[in-house]
Amino acid sequence: MGCGSCSSGGCTPGGCKSNGSCLTDGGCSKLDVYDWLSDMDLPSNYKPFPYVEIRFKGSRKDFYRNEENIYLEAGELVAVETTTGGYDIGHVTLTGELVRMQMNRKRVTEEKSPLKIYRKATVQDVDKWKNAKERESETMYKSRTIALELGLAMKLSDVEYQGDRSKATFYYTAEGRVDFRELIKKLAEAFRVRIEMRQIGMRQEASRLGGIGSCGRELCCSTWLTDFKTVSTSAARYQNLSLNTLKLAGQCGKLKCCLNYELDTYMDALKTIPDHVDRLKTQKGDARLQKTDIFKQLMWFSFADDNTWIPLGVDRVKEIAAMNKNGEKPEDLKDYSAILEDLEVVEKSFDYENVVGQDSLTRLDDKGKKKKNNNRNKSRNRNGSNVAPQGEKPAVENKNQPRPQRPQQSKSEGNALTTEGEQRANPNRNRNKKRKNNNNKPPQE
């Protein structure tokens, strides 16, 4: 039996093809626990644990007593008892001895969970439960409109109907205390059900609504995280993260819970790194701390008049700090050439050859530039050699035909030819000379 929110629309999730184990919002295995005792052989006189863990909408879970010893499997829909009367519909998430362990971990005793399981959900129960779920979006829209008309400083984030549609629970967030007595009256008149208002925090709201985090995965609080621990900005400082609120804040507006995941590892690595070593004194001058590589155990220093960062090991930093404490100054920080050689990235040599020969992404751009330059040179040569007088067509040159040799001429003949050619090419030149001569003549009396 699968979830009722899959694309198939029935009890068996034929759309997602995961047989009830989809991790999407409302899926069967949301906040589920892996039953690693299910394949173990139990003794013959073993009596199964009479309690079962049931999950409802969002991250709400509770333990119910299986008095009639109904055979239940994870993912099945069951009808359970409620404190206000009626029944509710939920998914079975855990059975057997792991339920005992979960109750001990959450410090829940059998006296604190007296509610019981009625039966497996029938077809009529499932249809009624689905109709109640379909009404939730419309109820949310109308309730928000009523809250705005009353001017209440609150935000309605989610609505959950009971399985028999006799009760509706409204989850809201607010900075302070809100008097919602008038709101409850109007909501009861509008929807004709019992109304319960429950205030939640920002993180609980994000876990109920779900979403995608900046890492590209579903939110931890809506898939597996149930206990919300306090997160402070010191966790970001220990991990050398920039204190940018836009990057450190999650969908709930608070600091991301994942900042605490690797904090213990960083704290263990920081135990060997000395504190309060922001400056080291040498004979060359004072070197200031620029960067600390926590896992490589390296600290980078630089002098005031030099932009080069010098890597030092933790032991060397402690040694220089002890010398400065005794009033001594070393000549230099360290011969860091050996450390830089270790930090250099060695280029990998691959055991295959590039047969295609398409390494450069700009190879086509270079060829295009060469072709354009050659075309420009050709066009210039054609324009210079094929200029012909008006009325005549330019002669086409034959590359294979040998060029005729010009007869040798004397200097006088060559000068005469050049003067005649210049007069033909520039007929206006003589006119300009005559005008200049006329302008230079003195006026006649």
Side-chain angles (χ1 to χ4, degrees):
M1 176 104 36
C3 59
S5 60
C6 297
S7 60
S8 62
C11 297
T12 304
C16 58
K17 299 297 182 181
S18 60
N19 297 325
S21 61
C22 52
L23 287 176
T24 55
D25 188 16
C28 300
S29 63
K30 182 179 179 181
L31 293 175
D32 199 359
V33 181
Y34 178 71
D35 191 359
W36 48 274
L37 296 176
S38 59
D39 297 332
M40 296 181 65
D41 295 332
L42 299 175
S44 58
N45 57 352
Y46 170 76
K47 293 182 179 180
F49 190 65
Y51 282 85
V52 180
E53 187 184 59
I54 308 295
R55 182 187 63 81
F56 301 94
K57 182 181 178 181
S59 59
R60 185 168 67 93
K61 284 185 177 182
D62 208 344
F63 300 99
Y64 292 86
R65 185 176 181 84
N66 187 8
E67 293 182 349
E68 298 180 2
N69 294 326
I70 305 173
Y71 178 74
L72 299 174
E73 292 183 355
E76 287 186 318
L77 287 171
V78 291
V80 297
E81 185 183 3
T82 61
T83 55
T84 58
Y87 66 91
D88 201 357
I89 302 296
H91 290 92
V92 177
T93 55
L94 200 61
T95 59
E97 287 297 319
L98 284 183
V99 181
R100 191 197 304 271
M101 299 175 65
Q102 288 288 88
M103 293 178 69
N104 293 332
R105 188 177 68 87
K106 296 181 180 180
R107 297 179 181 179
V108 178
T109 60
E110 296 182 4
E111 291 78 12
K112 292 183 180 180
S113 55
L115 302 178
K116 62 181 180 179
I117 298 175
Y118 286 143
R119 61 185 179 278
K120 288 185 179 181
T122 60
V123 178
Q124 292 79 8
D125 295 335
V126 173
D127 292 339
K128 200 171 185 179
W129 174 63
K130 287 183 178 179
N131 292 332
K133 289 175 67 67
E134 291 174 356
R135 294 180 57 186
E136 289 178 355
S137 59
E138 182 182 357
T139 305
M140 171 64 66
Y141 177 76
K142 291 183 179 179
S143 60
R144 285 180 176 177
T145 305
I146 295 172
L148 289 174
E149 291 176 355
L150 295 176
L152 298 176
M154 59 186 298
K155 177 187 175 184
L156 292 171
S157 59
D158 195 13
V159 179
E160 181 181 359
Y161 270 97
Q162 197 168 288
D164 56 355
R165 288 191 306 178
S166 62
K167 175 185 171 184
T169 304
F170 291 83
Y171 297 90
Y172 71 95
T173 57
E175 295 181 357
R177 190 172 181 179
V178 180
D179 185 8
F180 45 77
R181 288 177 291 182
E182 188 67 24
L183 177 63
I184 292 177
K185 292 179 182 179
K186 292 194 174 184
L187 292 177
E189 293 176 0
F191 305 116
R192 300 295 180 181
V193 292
R194 293 196 306 273
I195 304 297
E196 180 182 353
M197 304 296 296
R198 187 173 296 179
Q199 186 175 3
I200 58 176
M202 296 294 181
R203 291 181 175 176
Q204 286 81 7
E205 180 186 12
S207 67
R208 293 190 65 86
L209 299 179
I212 304 297
S214 58
C215 58
R217 298 174 64 95
E218 289 188 57
L219 297 180
C220 299
C221 56
S222 63
T223 51
W224 62 271
L225 187 63
T226 55
D227 53 338
F228 302 104
K229 297 181 180 180
T230 57
V231 185
S232 60
T233 55
S234 60
R237 292 193 184 96
Y238 288 134
Q239 301 177 50
N240 288 338
L241 298 176
S242 60
L243 299 179
N244 188 355
T245 56
L246 296 177
K247 293 183 179 180
L248 297 179
Q251 185 171 331
C252 58
K254 306 293 183 181
L255 292 176
K256 294 180 181 179
C257 297
C258 56
L259 292 175
N260 286 337
Y261 294 169
E262 299 178 355
L263 182 59
D264 295 337
T265 306
Y266 277 89
M267 296 299 292
D268 293 339
L270 284 171
K271 291 179 181 179
T272 57
I273 295 177
D275 298 332
H276 308 292
V277 191
D278 297 335
R279 184 177 298 180
L280 296 178
K281 296 180 180 180
T282 61
Q283 295 180 4
K284 290 184 177 181
D286 294 345
R288 294 185 177 181
L289 179 64
Q290 300 292 340
K291 175 187 172 183
T292 302
D293 197 331
I294 299 174
F295 294 109
K296 290 184 179 180
Q297 299 291 305
L298 288 177
M299 302 177 73
W300 302 74
F301 291 84
S302 67
F303 293 99
D305 55 349
D306 192 2
N307 293 328
T308 304
W309 289 12
I310 303 172
L312 294 179
V314 175
D315 298 334
R316 177 61 177 169
V317 174
K318 291 180 180 179
E319 182 182 352
I320 297 175
M323 293 174 66
N324 293 337
K325 191 175 182 180
N326 297 329
E328 300 176 1
K329 294 182 180 179
E331 295 182 359
D332 196 358
L333 292 176
K334 193 176 181 181
D335 185 12
Y336 56 91
S337 59
I339 299 178
L340 289 177
E341 289 179 359
D342 297 337
L343 295 177
E344 287 181 356
V345 179
V346 180
E347 186 177 356
K348 295 181 180 180
S349 59
F350 299 98
D351 57 349
Y352 62 87
E353 295 181 359
N354 188 6
V355 183
V356 182
Q358 296 180 356
D359 292 336
S360 177
L361 296 176
T362 60
R363 63 190 183 280
L364 300 177
D365 299 339
D366 298 337
K367 291 182 180 180
K369 291 180 180 179
K370 291 180 181 179
K371 287 183 180 180
K372 289 181 181 178
N373 294 330
N374 293 333
N375 293 332
R376 289 177 182 174
N377 296 330
K378 288 180 181 180
S379 61
R380 289 176 183 174
N381 295 332
R382 289 175 182 174
N383 294 332
S385 60
N386 294 335
V387 174
Q390 296 180 357
E392 295 182 3
K393 296 182 179 180
V396 180
E397 294 182 359
N398 190 1
K399 295 182 180 180
N400 298 326
Q401 183 179 0
R403 295 181 179 178
Q405 296 182 357
R406 294 181 180 179
Q408 295 182 356
Q409 298 176 354
S410 61
K411 292 183 179 180
S412 60
E413 292 178 355
N415 294 330
L417 290 173
T418 53
T419 53
E420 290 178 0
E422 288 179 356
Q423 290 178 1
R424 291 176 183 176
N426 298 323
N428 297 326
R429 188 174 180 180
N430 296 328
R431 295 179 184 176
N432 294 332
K433 287 182 178 180
K434 290 180 181 180
R435 290 177 182 174
K436 289 180 181 179
N437 295 330
N438 293 330
N439 293 330
N440 294 330
K441 288 181 180 180
Q444 297 179 0
E445 294 181 357

